[in-house]
Amino acid sequence: MEVDDLVTALLRVTIGTTMIAHGINHWIGGGKIAGTAGWFSGLGLRNGVLQAWLSVITEIGAGVLLILGLLTPFAGAAVVSVMLVAGLLAHRTNGFFVFKDGYEYVLVLAMSTIGLALLGPGRLSLDHLFGIEISGWPGGAIALVAGALATAGLLALFYRPAPAAIEEKGSSESHRH
């Protein structure tokens, strides 16, 4: 076994397990689907219950695919999209550091997943076993571009912040200038 294959397997299992844990937490942790839906609605996403279920399915599904090393760049695109939405809607305004609820954590997960898509899933993967590995620039492009397009689509369809939130943001920004 080559070191590269061990590294990609470690990345796939670590990121995959993390995504599954997030999906399960959104599903049955804390406030369950209702709490997750309320949180998403509070971020300005319409149809909070739908958003909660889409998040659960995407996070668990991408996690399983990453662990198996199956359709790796597409699983990476799902992770990138989830992290990009989280970064833009929940963490961006808090700055960089995770201990201030900033975007550090979601950035590391998204970029690690793009790196994995560039490297490829390695020989310890179903992609390799089935001969469907996509790596290098094509793998990285799938993870990045498909993830960004999915984010843009989700936001175009469902992001509708409440007028009061827009007004407050505008007035607080005008006070900073």
Side-chain angles (χ1 to χ4, degrees), residues 17 39 72 94 96:
T17 302
W39 181 60
T72 303
N94 299 323
F96 177 73

Side-chain angles (χ1 to χ4, degrees), residues 12-175:
R12 287 192 347 261
V13 169
T14 301
I15 297 168
T17 302
T18 300
M19 295 309 297
I20 291 169
H22 274 269
I24 290 171
N25 186 57
H26 285 152
W27 181 15
I28 58 176
K32 300 184 175 34
I33 288 293
T36 301
W39 181 60
F40 285 145
S41 294
L43 293 174
L45 291 171
R46 298 296 169 241
N47 301 31
V49 173
L50 174 65
Q51 298 306 317
W53 279 112
L54 288 174
S55 176
V56 166
I57 292 165
T58 302
E59 290 171 350
I60 293 173
V64 169
L65 289 174
L66 283 174
I67 289 170
L68 296 174
L70 181 60
L71 304 173
T72 303
F74 298 99
V79 173
V80 167
S81 181
V82 168
M83 294 301 116
L84 191 52
V85 169
L88 290 170
L89 299 187
H91 302 287
R92 177 181 48 88
T93 59
N94 299 323
F96 177 73
F97 294 106
V98 70
F99 61 85
K100 294 183 177 180
D101 203 25
Y103 59 87
E104 173 185 13
Y105 173 75
V106 297
L107 176 66
V108 169
L109 277 176
M111 295 308 290
S112 297
T113 305
I114 293 169
L116 177 61
L118 285 162
L119 290 172
R123 286 189 283 198
L124 302 173
S125 68
L126 291 180
D127 283 345
H128 179 76
L129 180 67
F130 298 145
I132 56 172
E133 289 181 70
I134 303 171
S135 59
W137 293 114
I142 289 169
L144 176 61
V145 174
L149 288 174
T151 299
L154 177 107
L155 294 177
L157 290 172
F158 295 104
Y159 184 60
R160 303 289 185 273
I166 294 170
E167 204 173 290
E168 283 177 25
K169 184 176 180 187
S171 65
S172 67
E173 286 179 1
S174 65
H175 288 118

Side-chain angles (χ1 to χ4, degrees), residues 1-11 119-124:
M1 173 184 343
E2 297 291 322
V3 171
D4 314 17
D5 297 318
L6 182 58
V7 169
T8 54
L10 285 170
L11 281 170
L119 290 172
R123 286 189 283 198
L124 302 173

